[in-house]
Amino acid sequence: PELALDLPTAAPPQVIRDATRTWLRTEALRLFQERAAVHASTLGVRVTRIGLSDARTRWGSAGADGSIRLHWRLVQLEPELLDAVVAHEVAHLSEMNHGPRFWALMARLVPDPQGTRRRLRDAAASLVPF
């Protein structure tokens, strides 16, 4: 995707920041919905709602009601890492813990779930805070 903001050339930094953040959040939700639908279909679960989060300590959460919340800043990551977090939360709609059955589901969705998890921790340090 390409970021194109319809702003005056002399727009103040705060206006540019806010417009960029709005664009990123919109793009994040689009990507989350797209990838969640694929993973939900694979596992035979239903995602009832996807919301954006600004949580300080977690990338996502899943509720027993089928809802998922994902941190919008994930949109800054490479697609495989973003996808792995979405897959993680979708897998929780079937298994609400991190036991062996959960990781078996993750292995169906992500080629190397544990390796991806390590890469995600490393990549998190490079995200722009906005």
Side-chain angles (χ1 to χ4, degrees), residues 14 17-18 20-22 24-25 53-56 59 71-77 123-130:
Q14 184 64 37
R17 178 187 170 277
D18 291 348
T20 302
R21 182 182 166 128
T22 298
L24 286 168
R25 289 175 62 91
S53 166
D54 215 355
R56 297 251 186 248
W59 289 117
H71 200 300
W72 66 271
R73 286 179 50 212
L74 288 166
V75 74
Q76 296 178 61
L77 297 176
S126 68
L127 296 182
V128 177
F130 283 98

Side-chain angles (χ1 to χ4, degrees), residues 42-57:
T42 299
L43 297 183
V45 297
R46 184 169 169 261
V47 176
T48 59
R49 182 176 148 327
I50 296 179
L52 297 179
S53 166
D54 215 355
R56 297 251 186 248
T57 59

Side-chain angles (χ1 to χ4, degrees), residues 16-36:
I16 295 169
R17 178 187 170 277
D18 291 348
T20 302
R21 182 182 166 128
T22 298
W23 186 89
L24 286 168
R25 289 175 62 91
T26 301
E27 184 64 13
L29 185 57
R30 183 189 70 75
L31 289 169
F32 296 159
Q33 290 169 335
E34 180 182 292
R35 298 309 304 155

